[in-house]
Amino acid sequence: MTHALTPLPRRAAAAAPVLPAVAVVALLVLPVTPGGAEPADVVSGLMVVYCVTRLLRERRRPLPPTAAVVLGLPVVGLTLAAMGASSPEAGLSGLGRYLQVFVLVPAAVLLLIRDRGDFRLLAWSFVGLALWQGAIGVHQFVTRTGASYQGADIRAVGTFGAQDVMGMAEAVALGLVCAVGIALGRASVRQRAVGAGCALALLAPLAVSFSRGAWIATAVTCAVQLVLAGLRRALKVAAAVAAVGVILVGGFGVGSALLQQRIDSIAQVTDAPDQSVVDRYTLWASATGMWRQHPLTGVGLKGFPEYRDGHATLALSSGAEIAGAGVSYRRQALLSPHNMYLLVLSEQGLIGLLALAGGWLALLVCGLRRLIGRRGPGLDCALVACGLLVWLLTDFVYGDIGGPSTVLTAMGLGLVAWWALAGDERARTAPRAAADPRFEEVVAR
């Protein structure tokens, strides 16, 4: 019995540095408290402080030069946009939020992950969060206790509530992307089987989230992952997913009418758009108008709500309707264009967009370059990292940062940054192996 239990403390000790990152993801299972600071956001800040403390204590170089440049690019545009904000308070709060999501938290995650074992642990935490939120979401759909959708409280929102209807969709979609990457990798048969099972299980909650943006981003990402993993495997997995979809929607009739209507609405954005699509296009036009008046530096951080009405047409509604999932009916103001690229363009101008999107493009190029030709160990990490970035870049066309789920975006970018910018993994892990002869055994497991 003693010999069987001995490896457990060793594994925990080996994974200790990355556990704060896992804790940030785990805290997203808690119900959202409107108006208050979210535990995951607070712990993400503490994670950054912990990372800085470790660097000072161990006297290590903070970041590799390439990583410092790529992750530091957004600071240029953010600083200029903060100085152009309507008030110092708005500038500082906006600057802090952007730095948290796109610079500090991703950099901390990059530094806390030391090897593929740490990477996989954090990726599995994404899957665990998705399963938890998805289970709650499916229960909400079945029992009609979710957010209001077409007069019925059936929209799955998990613990994020009706005020953040995209929160559960993002958590489930990112977990699904991680599960697909693990299933397509070269890990053990058991891990690949569990990953495939989790991915299939997450299809149902993603469907009943009724989030068109999440559907599109997930479909694009999984297709990219399948192609990167090999065309033969892509065809097999696509056939399996299609069979499951037919069984769930066609065979059992799981929300088939509502899902079909929602899917059809994707292709009707110009012929007969609903009010949400009209609002989205109007907000996009408003953001474009702001950029035309302030092309280089934008209107300043958190300036979109102030300038919105001056550029919007009468087609824009007074706000989005919110009800269900424990929230009484009310209208929520539309304070962003629901497009990350246009939000940055309107508030930070061309300088901000080039700096921020340039960093994302660099991450994508570096990640794909490390992935190409890799068919052995580490393929699962490559597919997860590239998949997360493709999902975020696609979803940014239909959404932007905001709400409790935003910290999950930052954690995903941290996983991407480690894979794309960590350099030679064997060189990074050599000191650990030399210091602890059990290291190779722990990583292998």
Side-chain angles (χ1 to χ4, degrees), residues 11 33 49 54 96 108 140 153 178 195 205 239 270 326 404 407 444:
R11 293 185 187 182
T33 54
V49 174
R54 288 187 70 240
Q140 291 170 334
D153 295 341
C178 290
T270 56
V407 70

Side-chain angles (χ1 to χ4, degrees), residues 24 40-41 44-45 47-48 70-72 74-75 78 93-110 170 174 302 340 343-344 348 356 360 363 389 392 396 400-417:
V24 174
D41 276 313
S44 71
M47 179 186 68
V48 174
V70 172
L71 294 178
V75 177
L78 289 173
S93 62
L95 179 64
R97 186 60 161 169
Y98 273 95
L99 289 178
Q100 175 203 13
V101 176
F102 297 114
V103 180
L104 297 177
V105 170
V109 173
L110 184 154
E170 178 178 357
L174 292 182
K302 293 203 169 185
M340 190 66 207
L343 176 62
V344 174
Q348 302 179 40
L356 196 58
W360 300 337
L363 287 176
L389 185 56
L392 290 171
F396 281 164
D400 48 51
I401 61 173
S405 59
T406 299
V407 70
L408 199 59
T409 299
M411 300 299 295
L413 288 173
L415 283 171
V416 174

Side-chain angles (χ1 to χ4, degrees), residues 87 101 126 168 181-182 216 251 266 288 292 309 328 348 354 389 414 423-424:
S87 67
V101 176
F126 273 67
M168 190 213 76
I182 293 170
I216 295 172
I266 297 175
T288 304
R292 286 172 179 165
D309 292 340
S328 57
Q348 302 179 40
L354 291 175
L389 185 56
D424 188 350

Side-chain angles (χ1 to χ4, degrees), residues 82 84-92 301 306:
S86 58
S87 67
E89 293 79 9
L92 289 176
L301 292 182
E306 181 180 349

